[in-house]
Amino acid sequence: MYSSHVLAAVGAERRRSLHRQTQADGLIRSAAMSAPVHDLDTVLIRPISPADAPGLREGFARLGLQSRRMRFLSSKTSLTDAEVAYFTDVDHDKHEALVAVDTVAKTGIGVARFIRDPLVPEVADVAVTVVDEWQGHGVGSELLRQLTDLAGCRGVRRFTALVSNDNMRMRRMLARMYTDVELVGRDAYTLSYEVPVQRPLEPCA
């Protein structure tokens, strides 16, 4: 068994390695300097529902090929009826999802979700998707912030995230939002992260 000092040192080195890699990859640079300006004041974030099924399909159609690959870690041309039902008809406990809506255009622009590990319910896998034209404008960060608060209120204590190696936006967002994010595994195509989830300071609803 390793001592607590050794484990702490390993964890610290992983965090330092993540931040060094973030800087080396140029992730601190803004990726949206020439993107259209969007106003977050027009964005509503709420729990997803089965009524959002048509909007989810429309949002998927607005994802470019690269965005689809980064979200699903494979080439994906469409969503099946079963997938749409799974993504929208959630129980808001084991599977929670928040949708961001552009209230001016009345269209969905992003989704964040966590799905608990059935064997370890205080651990949940997390994913965030934002349509291409809204990427880089803070929608993903706000979705993830609200989802993290919900998870903390509901007893989730750790997020896991499997991220494509070249998904720079997600890697940058994790490094920016979570000071204790750890890179715990990698292979030729993906990176595995773990993030401690704290109960929010504000009272839970």
Side-chain angles (χ1 to χ4, degrees), residues 11 15 21 26 45 65 85 90 140 150 159-160 164 171:
R15 290 190 290 274
Q21 186 174 18
I45 294 178
L65 295 178
V90 305
L150 274 177
F159 276 155
T160 60
S164 175
R171 290 167 59 186

Side-chain angles (χ1 to χ4, degrees), residues 56 117 119 126 131 198:
L56 188 74
D117 185 322
L119 299 179
V126 66
V131 297
Q198 306 295 329

Side-chain angles (χ1 to χ4, degrees), residues 66-131:
Q66 185 180 44
S67 294
R68 295 179 189 181
R69 179 181 58 78
M70 289 182 178
R71 170 60 181 89
F72 296 99
L73 301 179
S74 65
S75 299
K76 194 169 184 63
T77 58
S78 63
L79 295 175
T80 67
D81 290 344
E83 288 172 327
V84 171
Y86 177 76
F87 288 140
T88 57
D89 190 5
V90 305
D91 64 5
H92 300 289
D93 178 31
K94 300 181 184 67
H95 184 174
E96 179 60 280
L98 299 177
V99 59
V101 179
D102 177 358
T103 58
V104 175
K106 294 181 170 37
T107 58
I109 58 175
V111 178
R113 72 182 65 245
F114 71 74
I115 302 173
R116 293 182 192 257
D117 185 322
L119 299 179
V120 189
E122 65 269 21
V123 176
D125 191 60
V126 66
V128 183
T129 308
V130 176
V131 297

